[in-house]
Amino acid sequence: MNSPAIDARDAEMPRRALPVIDLGPYLRGDPGALEQLSAEWREVCEKLGFLCVINHGISDALIAEMEAATRAFHALDDEEKLKIKVTDHQRGYVPSRATILKHSSYETHTKLDSVECMVVATDYAEDHPEVLAGKQFYSRNRWPEKLPSFQTTVEKYMSTVQSLGLKLLPVWAKSLELPENFFLPYFEEPYSYFRIAKYPKTAFVEHQEFGLGAHADTGFMTFLPPALEQGLQVLDEHSQWFWPVVPEGAIIVNTGLFLSRWTNNRFRATPHRVLPPKNNDRYSFACFINTSLDAVASCLPTCQSTDNPPLYPEQSYWSYFQWYMKNTYTHYGSITAPEDEAAA
Ligand SMILES: O=C(O)CCC(=O)C(=O)O
Ligand SMILES: [Fe+2]
């Protein structure tokens, strides 16, 4: 006999405040602010690895404009969205039930994610050598014809978040006891990647069913204004999932796997996941600010010793990103979800 069905969202789960870091003094250029901020940053990144920032300089108006653009995009007909379906360059529209994290060590995933999203990334110049060569991930963005304002808002939002990310490079460097400008050469041509997502409302959620399954982000740093609908859960250092509580106006920041590997796991790439919403569709837009695609990370000098040798071989962001994408998105053809295919 089947046991009575329990909605996965009703499972007992603590709510916990994320660490809040004030960027105001540093962004204003106050004396001593970089040192103070870097110490706080290190403390969080070595433990939970998930935080939120206040006084970040990204206006409420811009976030509201991006929220409206996200909703307008997802309100387009499927036919319009499918005209710009994602390609092997990892840009374009990804329909619902097209991702599953096969490389996750946090949880076994058997079902495809219900999230659908539009993916946009740094648009390199048409005459960029890698664009001309047709190298994977360098193609131009795809935009919906019927929503011209979408491109304008997305580009404005991405460039604002990218500027904030680049301003924080000295903080990342100092928090790892590196010279202030250490990361600059790796970010000569930052590869910023933007997921503009809709999580469709779902009446009943089974155990192991997700809007987006447990994962750590791919790259260096992620910026995520909290969604208006609940859904995000975070795994702490003691393997306890919790609902993060974020103050009004704060933006979530977390570390990606590429940085975590670069730091020999000193900084944690925190697993998180999204449960589907119950009553209203949920919209979110996570912006990932990464090194140049051709940047090569080899274990940072301050993150290794004879007792703590490098755990990972040196690797370019391009090759790490390619590995991650192939093991997450079904359109690359290398992964499938057997149980789900029958139901789809
Ligand atoms: O929707 C969210 O709150 C989180 C999204 C996320 O984790 C991602 O896109 O990597
Ligand atoms: Fe994520």
Side-chain angles (χ1 to χ4, degrees), residues 195 197 199 212 215 217 222 224-225 227 231-232 272-274 282-286 288:
R195 273 171 61 95
Y199 297 81
L212 181 61
H215 67 283
D217 295 340
T222 305
L224 172 72
L232 179 67
H272 51 286
R273 64 187 183 190
V274 179
R282 176 181 187 274
Y283 298 89
S284 77
F285 39 96
F288 309 87

Side-chain angles (χ1 to χ4, degrees), residues 37-39 41-43 45-46 170-178 266-267:
L37 177 56
S38 308
W41 208 257
R42 176 186 312 128
E43 170 79 16
C45 292
E46 287 183 346
V171 180
W172 291 103
K174 283 266 174 198
S175 66
L176 288 159
E177 291 126 4
L178 295 162
R266 177 171 172 188
F267 277 10

Side-chain angles (χ1 to χ4, degrees), residues 79-222:
E79 197 191 332
E80 279 309 303
K81 293 192 260 186
L82 288 169
K83 278 188 198 161
I84 52 169
K85 198 171 172 189
V86 71
T87 67
D88 285 1
H89 286 279
Q90 197 54 30
R91 292 163 197 254
Y93 172 65
V94 183
S96 177
R97 306 170 68 77
T99 53
I100 181 163
L101 279 110
K102 283 291 180 183
H103 54 94
S104 168
S105 49
Y106 327 115
E107 223 155 44
T108 314
H109 295 123
T110 53
K111 293 181 169 52
L112 291 161
D113 298 321
S114 66
V115 67
E116 55 178 295
C117 68
M118 174 64 191
V119 178
V120 173
T122 297
D123 237 344
Y124 298 97
E126 269 168 53
D127 61 351
H128 187 292
E130 305 291 24
V131 175
L132 292 175
K135 187 162 179 173
Q136 191 180 11
F137 308 131
Y138 281 88
S139 83
R140 314 266 303 168
N141 285 325
R142 319 193 75 192
W143 299 107
E145 257 172 41
K146 295 221 166 129
L147 196 63
S149 60
F150 182 72
Q151 177 175 357
T152 318
T153 300
V154 167
E155 287 180 343
K156 183 167 50 168
Y157 183 83
M158 277 181 85
S159 81
T160 307
V161 174
Q162 182 174 296
S163 304
L164 175 61
L166 297 181
K167 279 185 208 156
L168 292 175
L169 289 181
V171 180
W172 291 103
K174 283 266 174 198
S175 66
L176 288 159
E177 291 126 4
L178 295 162
E180 198 172 316
N181 290 329
F182 180 89
F183 287 117
L184 272 186
Y186 298 89
F187 280 82
E188 253 171 34
E189 215 171 42
Y191 177 67
S192 298
Y193 177 91
F194 195 23
R195 273 171 61 95
I196 302 158
K198 171 182 172 183
Y199 297 81
K201 62 181 172 192
T202 309
F204 182 83
V205 176
E206 283 174 33
H207 178 60
Q208 292 296 325
E209 182 181 345
F210 297 105
L212 181 61
H215 67 283
D217 295 340
T218 332
F220 196 102
M221 54 181 135
T222 305

